Amino acid sequence: MRPCGVFDETYGQDIAIIRTKRHWGALIASLIFFFAFPLFGSYYIISFINYLSVTVIVVLGLQIVSGYCGQISFGQAAFMAVGAYTSAILTTKLGVSFWIALPLSGVVAGLIGIVGGAPSLRVKGFYLAMATIAIHFVVMWLILHLEITGATRGLNPPPPKLGNLVFDSDESMYYIIVFIMLLMTYAARNLVRSKVGRAFVAIRDNDLAGEVMGINLYYYKFLAFFISCFYAGIAGSLWAHWMQVVHPEQFTLFHALWYVGMIIIGGMGSIPGVFFGVIFVRALDELVMFASPPLAAAFPWVGMAPAASLGIVAFGIVLILFLIFDPRGLAHRWEIFKASYRIYPFIY
């Protein structure tokens, strides 16, 4: 954020992400803090940050295809599973290094995502959403019935290695997961500001008008699905080698619904909105997890089953409230706050 009286004098300053010395100071201080955090942070917080970072990568991909390109997708969990199983198979059965399997997982998920994006050439809206749900079930059926995926048993990928250094703990995986999350956030932030990002927005706002302007709808829709699934594949690979176990129960349709809810709560068509949505929903989930046992003890007539499902109920209520009262999400509130800060102490 820039206070009142700070103006851009060149085009380079206008398009820069880091604009002032204060921004650079805050960025460097944040990087030092995150780099040193595993040295003094608790195991619970480090594990939670790893979980948030993997989710941010998945939702970033969904934001690109749905928030920016306007193509509704409920297949993000399935494409994450493709990345996880690809990485697990490459490392356990073919002996490929994690550092090679990681980008290959994204590429394989992206190529399968192009097949999944094919229906977007002929249908959109509700029908495209149904098509992506069908893709989810097809992918999960294949995973459950192929021997190479371990079927219902799953797979146990090894932890990443770099020379003699083995990343087999939450603290060591923190450096890999957080670094890749920051790298992919930077890539997504610049992508949506490029020619490709502007073409995505044009397709989202009015695809017919975009086609009249010379935008190749087929190319950019396929590209959006490829990038979205590439992000999901990378997240799946990180998840697999962090958990060291891959199982179909980790990638259900319910997870895909949560990812869509995160970009609605955070704000459609906003990279900061991804962080707002993921942190809000995950924090709500953690809060409910701690609140459920006391509620079950205070109201024993409710029983344990309703208390256990309190997280789903809370998520549904919050999602409905955002759709009714603030459909532009938390990112819109953040923009209002920044505008107020810029013009302070003036009202207009």
Side-chain angles (χ1 to χ4, degrees):
M1 293 190 298
R2 294 173 299 170
C4 182
V6 177
F7 302 102
D8 296 326
E9 298 179 352
T10 65
Y11 181 69
Q13 291 177 344
D14 184 55
I15 65 173
I17 297 177
I18 309 299
R19 298 187 173 185
T20 66
K21 293 181 179 178
R22 184 180 299 178
H23 289 170
W24 278 107
L27 175 65
I28 294 172
S30 300
L31 291 177
I32 293 174
F33 174 79
F34 276 106
F35 182 78
F37 186 74
L39 302 177
F40 58 86
S42 68
Y43 166 80
Y44 173 78
I45 299 296
I46 292 171
S47 177
F48 186 61
I49 292 176
N50 287 346
Y51 191 28
L52 285 179
S53 301
V54 172
T55 309
V56 162
I57 296 173
V58 180
V59 181
L60 275 173
L62 185 63
Q63 185 74 288
I64 290 172
V65 72
S66 295
Y68 283 96
C69 199
Q71 308 302 302
I72 301 175
S73 174
F74 287 97
Q76 203 70 350
F79 297 122
M80 184 179 176
V82 171
Y85 275 94
T86 300
S87 189
I89 291 169
L90 288 174
T91 52
T92 57
K93 298 183 181 297
L94 302 178
V96 178
S97 168
F98 163 78
W99 307 103
I100 299 175
L102 177 67
L104 288 179
S105 302
V107 172
V108 171
L111 293 176
I112 295 178
I114 290 179
V115 178
S120 67
L121 301 181
R122 300 185 64 85
V123 298
K124 56 184 177 181
F126 171 78
Y127 299 101
L128 179 58
M130 292 297 102
T132 56
I133 290 176
I135 293 166
H136 173 91
F137 285 115
V138 170
V139 170
M140 299 314 297
W141 185 88
L142 290 173
I143 289 175
L144 280 169
H145 290 82
L146 291 176
E147 188 58 32
I148 193 171
T149 60
T152 56
R153 303 183 305 277
L155 296 173
N156 296 99
K161 292 182 181 178
L162 188 62
N164 294 326
L165 184 61
V166 181
F167 297 85
D168 57 352
S169 65
D170 281 21
E171 291 82 357
S172 56
M173 281 300 295
Y174 170 92
Y175 290 105
I176 297 177
I177 294 175
V178 171
F179 173 76
I180 293 176
M181 183 271 291
L182 293 175
L183 186 65
M184 301 199 76
T185 301
Y186 181 77
R189 185 72 180 87
N190 281 288
L191 173 72
V192 299
R193 302 191 312 159
S194 66
K195 172 187 172 183
V196 174
R198 291 193 293 273
F200 287 166
V201 173
I203 294 172
R204 178 195 65 188
D205 293 344
N206 192 319
D207 54 352
L208 292 178
E211 190 172 22
V212 171
M213 294 169 61
I215 295 174
N216 188 330
L217 297 185
Y218 297 163
Y219 171 75
Y220 283 106
K221 283 184 178 180
F222 277 146
L223 182 62
F225 270 99
F226 177 84
I227 296 173
S228 171
C229 297
F230 179 83
Y231 271 73
I234 294 294
S237 176
L238 292 173
W239 174 268
H241 293 275
W242 174 37
M243 292 286 108
Q244 297 179 33
V245 61
V246 184
H247 193 273
E249 292 294 329
Q250 298 170 335
F251 314 101
T252 65
L253 185 60
F254 180 74
H255 290 90
L257 295 175
W258 274 63
Y259 299 147
V260 174
M262 287 173 182
I263 62 172
I264 292 175
I265 292 173
M268 297 284 283
S270 169
I271 297 300
V274 171
F275 286 83
F276 292 138
V278 170
I279 293 173
F280 185 91
V281 173
R282 290 303 184 201
L284 178 67
D285 195 35
E286 292 293 311
L287 179 65
V288 168
M289 186 180 66
F290 284 109
S292 294
L295 287 175
F299 304 99
W301 52 272
V302 175
M304 287 303 297
S309 61
L310 186 61
I312 303 172
V313 175
F315 175 71
I317 293 175
V318 168
L319 187 58
I320 291 172
L321 291 177
F322 268 93
L323 288 172
I324 294 175
F325 298 106
D326 198 359
R328 299 175 69 176
L330 294 173
H332 178 58
R333 294 293 162 190
W334 173 243
E335 292 298 327
I336 293 175
F337 173 75
K338 287 198 300 183
S340 302
Y341 177 76
R342 287 194 191 106
I343 64 176
Y344 182 82
F346 305 106
I347 299 176
Y348 302 104

